[in-house]
């Protein structure tokens, strides 16, 4: 069986932090059955502590020799609890009142960012399981309960083998695998494999309002994902130094407007988002990626064509997702997709 | 020496299990009615025997919280009482644990206190004792395990062929309960089982029969406060239960005596020299030594839980003594493809390789050693003290 790898690219220049992707995943998979506290897709504000809070300090991944690094299992408090509101009463005209104690939450530091006015800065970082090629979770499991599919590289938990030890949670450096206390087993983003098997993009990508997500096979030379990652090299892995070879890539956010001095005048040549901070996330390819973006943007501004910008603008879903043998699968729309799913219609 | 221990020594000598250290033997008391509750006053009639459980250090796992405390973790003394009414066996394990860890479902990062009892699947005749850490390919074990949960104890019965390999048994033969006494700060776990279970699992192998004079048994304890679960636990070596009034099996008795025999010619001092020459090029002891890190299992962990027979086999027949999943690089063996760009695991740190049929071959060479040299090596390795063993013997949980 040949080995193929599905991958996702997220253009952070377009993410508006609307959390539609979060809600899409939540209503699809994690609004029930012990998964309520899990956000398989989360969008965190950067700079920030992330979800679970301080996940970058929780270990996992591999060291330079390839040995699994020790990690910790996050506590319930680290994940935060979404707050309850009196929405039934509010629907009838009452004032919306929080029913929970407002201390911490899964997105507690939203929009806080870093820096001082007028030079504060932040951007949004949506995160899902990276379906790594060298998964830390898979390496950590003493029961070999985690496996990686060769037909698309999706990493899954074999629920018949999982015993809920949670070494996988310690082993994932991105903390994107979670413990379901109702069934005492670990669960994680499944890349919506029941959807991708029918040529539909994962729910988070399909619902994205900002159209920031691209989904396809890394070896599909005509596909957007391959071009963004391998040809233009503007799509970079998050924390490649963790050693897990992630398959979710990010187009880094442009550093933004220049900083302002004390008199309110722009400081020429300055960067609002410090490039070293972006490099700490996306690695040494950051500067070249940003330079490529700026160069291609300049071409368009001068009236010349730019394939890269046409790619990134993502006019249609068929420009964003390449999952079926033919492109027309993704143009079916909702009714057509349902017909395919129940076997009534061949694409 | 207490009257109880004296009684045990005399009783077992009459059974002819001479040569096996008395500390490995647990007499089973004949009673008319087996107590069904862990804290039943009837248990005070049954003599108690001390068994030491050692923090598991043979299989390295990746939980930072556990590993930070593992180096200095002290052994855990436990008390074992065993009784039989001729039809069933009841084994009571008691250990000290001041905190009760019975996690609520919301505590997704919390772990439960628990205990387990392990038996060989095949006993009698010339059957070999399985590897004490959950069995091995050639000799399977049955494990009865109970964990404390806020919504009630969670019992499990498993059949295992080595760490990471077990499958659940749906029709359990054990009844398991555990209860904590806050005044004493101690847990008791009660393992109750018919000697010959009435039902036979659907289509499965015959249930292990316990109607024999000697039954090997091993124990494990988990302390949830130390994030213990799975392979992070304390475990004992094999102990031998002596059941009164059961048929004698001479071949089995001889086989067990041989298992515990170190060898008259054993010289621990020569053993130290031999260890330095043959073993330390690859094996570390308590993480120290000239061998590359992770090149081979640490020898500081094996003494307290191993039988001399197991150590002999490990030295003389390394490829037949491979315990699956002890390899820290188990997820990448030389026959498997590596992902492009991933950090490569060092080939020299792979403990065993598998051929196409899955047959493992140990990377440990077969040394040309005489029996007396092997005996000396075994006696030296058995004498290596576990870290923390010299520390205060006050029983307690693994320090986080």
């Amino acid at each position: 069986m040949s080995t193929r790898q599905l991958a996702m690219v997220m253009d952070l220049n377009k993410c508006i932090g609307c959390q539609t992707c979060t809600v899409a995943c939540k209503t699809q998979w994690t609004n029930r059955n012990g998964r309520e506290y899990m956000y398989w897709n989360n969008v965190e504000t950067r700079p920030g502590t992330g979800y679970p809070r301080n996940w970058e300090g929780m270990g996992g991944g591999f060291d330079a020799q390839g040995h699994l690094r020790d990690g910790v299992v996050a506590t319930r408090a680290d994940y935060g609890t979404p707050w309850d509101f009196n929405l039934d009463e509010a629907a009838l005209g009452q004032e919306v009142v929080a029913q929970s104690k407002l201390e911490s939450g899964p997105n507690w530091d939203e929009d806080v960012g870093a820096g001082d006015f007028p030079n504060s800065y932040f951007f949004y970082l949506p995160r899902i399981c990276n379906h790594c090629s060298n998964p830390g979770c898979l390496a950590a499991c003493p029961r070999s309960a985690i496996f990686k599919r060769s037909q698309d590289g999706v990493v899954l938990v074999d629920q018949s083998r999982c015993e809920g030890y949670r070494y996988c949670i310690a082993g994932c450096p991105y903390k994107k695998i979670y413990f379901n206390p109702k069934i005492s087993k670990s669960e994680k983003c499944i890349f919506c494999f029941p959807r991708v098997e029918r040529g539909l993009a994962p729910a988070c990508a399909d619902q994205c309002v900002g159209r920031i997500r691209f989904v396809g096979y890394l070896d599909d030379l005509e596909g957007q994902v391959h071009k963004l990652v391998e040809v233009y090299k503007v799509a970079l892995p998050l924390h490649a130094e963790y050693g897990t070879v992630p398959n979710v890539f990010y187009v880094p956010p442009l550093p933004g407007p220049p900083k302002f001095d004390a008199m309110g005048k722009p400081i020429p040549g300055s960067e609002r988002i410090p490039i070293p901070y972006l490099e700490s996330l996306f690695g040494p390819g950051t500067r070249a990626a940003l330079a490529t973006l700026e160069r291609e943007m300049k071409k368009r501004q001068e009236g010349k064509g730019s394939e890269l910008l046409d790619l990134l603008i993502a006019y249609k879903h068929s420009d964003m997702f390449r999952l079926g043998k033919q492109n027309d699968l993704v143009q079916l729309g909702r009714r057509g997709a349902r017909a395919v799913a129940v076997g009534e219609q061949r694409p | 020496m207490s009257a109880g221990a004296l009684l045990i020594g005399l009783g077992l000598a009459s059974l002819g299990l001479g040569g096996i250290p008395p500390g490995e033997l647990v007499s089973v008391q004949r009673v008319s009615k087996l107590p069904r509750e862990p804290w039943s006053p009837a248990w005070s009639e049954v003599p108690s025997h001390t068994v030491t459980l050692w923090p598991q250090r043979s299989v390295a796992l990746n939980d930072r919280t556990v590993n930070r405390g593992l180096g200095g973790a002290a052994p855990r003394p436990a008390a074992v009482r065993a009784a039989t009414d001729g039809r069933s066996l009841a084994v009571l394990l008691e250990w000290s644990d001041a905190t009760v860890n019975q996690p609520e479902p919301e505590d997704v990062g919390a772990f439960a206190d628990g205990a387990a009892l392990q038996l060989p699947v095949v006993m009698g005749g010339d059957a070999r004792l399985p590897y004490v850490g959950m069995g091995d390919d050639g000799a399977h074990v049955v494990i009865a395990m109970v964990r404390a949960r806020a919504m009630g104890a969670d019992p499990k019965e498993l059949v295992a062929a080595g760490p990471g390999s077990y499958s659940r048994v749906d029709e359990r033969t054990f009844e398991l309960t555990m209860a904590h006494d806050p005044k004493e700060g101690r847990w008791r776990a009660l393992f109750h089982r018919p000697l010959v279970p009435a039902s036979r699992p659907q289509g499965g192998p015959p249930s292990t029969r316990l109607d024999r004079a000697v039954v090997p048994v091993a124990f494990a304890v988990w302390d949830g406060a130390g994030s213990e679960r799975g392979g992070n636990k304390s475990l004992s070596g094999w102990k031998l239960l002596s059941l009164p009034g059961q048929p004698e099996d001479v071949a089995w008795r001889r086989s067990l005596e041989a298992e515990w025999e170190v060898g008259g010619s054993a010289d621990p001092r020569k053993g130290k020299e031999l260890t330095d020459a043959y073993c330390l090029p690859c094996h570390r002891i308590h993480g120290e030594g000239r061998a590359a890190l992770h090149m081979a299992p640490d020898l500081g962990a094996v003494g307290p839980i191993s039988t001399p027979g197991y150590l002999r086999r490990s030295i003389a027949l390394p490829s037949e003594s491979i315990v699956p999943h002890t390899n820290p690089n188990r997820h990448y063996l030389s026959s498997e493809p590596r992902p492009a760009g991933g950090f490569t695991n060092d080939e020299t740190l792979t403990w065993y390789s598998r051929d196409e049929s899955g047959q493992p071959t140990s990377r440990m060479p077969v040394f040309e050693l005489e029996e007396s040299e092997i005996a000396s090596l075994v006696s030296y390795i058995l004498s290596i003290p576990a870290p923390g063993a010299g520390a205060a013997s006050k029983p307690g949980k693994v320090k986080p």
Side-chain angles (χ1 to χ4, degrees), chain A residues 129-143:
Chain A
C129 165
N130 296 310
H131 295 275
C132 302
S133 294
N134 181 19
C137 58
L138 188 156
C141 179
R143 288 186 50 72

Side-chain angles (χ1 to χ4, degrees), chain B residues 335-380:
Chain B
S335 53
E336 290 171 13
R338 308 257 172 86
F343 292 123
T344 52
N345 297 110
D346 192 337
E347 274 284 326
T348 61
L349 304 185
T350 308
W351 293 356
Y352 59 93
S353 55
R354 286 194 195 273
D355 60 25
E356 292 88 41
S357 61
Q359 194 64 25
T361 306
S362 177
R363 293 245 173 168
M364 172 166 156
V366 180
F367 296 108
E368 303 269 318
L369 290 167
E370 293 172 14
E371 259 190 60
S372 63
E373 291 178 310
I374 295 180
S376 297
L377 277 166
V378 168
S379 71
Y380 175 69

Side-chain angles (χ1 to χ4, degrees), chain B residues 150-396:
Chain B
M151 58 270 210
D154 172 36
K156 286 199 286 217
E157 195 161 314
L158 321 162
V159 175
S165 70
Y166 64 72
S167 349
R168 290 210 185 195
V169 172
D170 290 322
E171 281 179 44
R172 290 186 287 114
T173 55
F174 277 88
E175 280 172 49
L176 307 166
T177 37
M178 62 189 289
H180 189 264
D181 184 327
K183 247 189 324 113
E184 305 271 338
R186 298 171 76 79
W187 275 106
R188 280 188 179 181
L190 176 54
F191 305 87
H192 178 104
R193 187 189 190 271
L195 296 180
V196 183
S199 66
R200 178 192 161 129
Q202 290 277 15
S207 287
T208 305
R209 295 176 65 118
L210 303 182
D211 54 340
R212 57 180 72 252
V214 182
V215 173
V217 68
F219 300 96
V221 157
W222 289 266
D223 179 12
S227 293
E228 291 186 355
R229 75 289 194 178
N232 286 129
K233 62 191 177 207
S234 303
L235 72 157
S236 74
W238 285 110
K239 308 295 163 192
L240 297 176
L241 297 180
S242 296
L243 280 79
Q246 297 297 337
E248 187 51 78
D249 181 339
V250 172
W252 180 226
R253 178 163 40 89
R254 290 225 180 89
S255 166
L256 290 171
E257 284 172 352
E259 181 73 13
W260 260 270
E261 184 161 315
V262 179
S265 51
D267 176 355
R269 249 180 343 155
K270 183 131 209 308
K272 189 172 197 296
E273 288 169 21
L274 290 165
T275 302
D276 197 74
Y278 285 95
C279 314
L280 298 193
C282 299
H283 291 270
R284 288 195 177 192
I285 298 183
H286 301 150
E288 313 258 316
R290 62 187 189 270
L293 189 61
H294 293 151
M295 189 155 197
D298 193 298
L299 291 181
V302 291
I305 58 168
S306 299
T307 57
Y310 169 71
L311 290 175
R312 259 201 304 282
R313 287 189 293 276
S314 303
I315 295 169
L317 306 163
S319 284
E320 288 169 41
S321 311
I322 291 172
V323 179
H325 296 286
T326 54
N327 188 339
N329 298 313
R330 64 183 177 271
H331 47 292
Y332 286 126
L333 297 175
S334 55
S335 53
E336 290 171 13
R338 308 257 172 86
F343 292 123
T344 52
N345 297 110
D346 192 337
E347 274 284 326
T348 61
L349 304 185
T350 308
W351 293 356
Y352 59 93
S353 55
R354 286 194 195 273
D355 60 25
E356 292 88 41
S357 61
Q359 194 64 25
T361 306
S362 177
R363 293 245 173 168
M364 172 166 156
V366 180
F367 296 108
E368 303 269 318
L369 290 167
E370 293 172 14
E371 259 190 60
S372 63
E373 291 178 310
I374 295 180
S376 297
L377 277 166
V378 168
S379 71
Y380 175 69
I381 292 169
L382 284 173
S383 75
I384 298 173
S393 59
K394 181 175 158 206

Side-chain angles (χ1 to χ4, degrees), chain B residues 47-72:
Chain B
S48 122
H49 189 92
T50 301
V51 166
T52 305
L53 286 86
W54 302 88
Q56 194 282 111
R57 293 193 179 91
S58 306
V59 178
L61 295 151
N62 64 312
D63 187 306
R64 187 198 286 169
T65 309
V66 177
N67 289 349
R68 283 207 173 138
L70 201 51

Side-chain angles (χ1 to χ4, degrees), chain B residues 46-124:
Chain B
V46 180
S48 122
H49 189 92
T50 301
V51 166
T52 305
L53 286 86
W54 302 88
Q56 194 282 111
R57 293 193 179 91
S58 306
V59 178
L61 295 151
N62 64 312
D63 187 306
R64 187 198 286 169
T65 309
V66 177
N67 289 349
R68 283 207 173 138
L70 201 51
R76 180 191 301 282
V80 173
R81 292 175 170 84
T84 180
D85 61 3
R87 289 180 309 282
S88 297
L89 172 70
V91 180
L92 187 75
L93 182 71
E94 179 181 338
W95 71 98
S96 177
D97 187 350
T99 58
V100 172
N101 294 93
Q102 252 175 202
E104 299 281 344
E106 302 83 60
D107 298 334
V108 295
F111 299 92
D113 292 336
L117 180 150
Q118 171 179 279
L119 301 165
V121 168
V122 177
M123 292 185 272

Side-chain angles (χ1 to χ4, degrees), chain A residues 28 179 199 282 306:
Chain A
Q28 184 94 3
F179 180 65
F282 305 114
S306 164

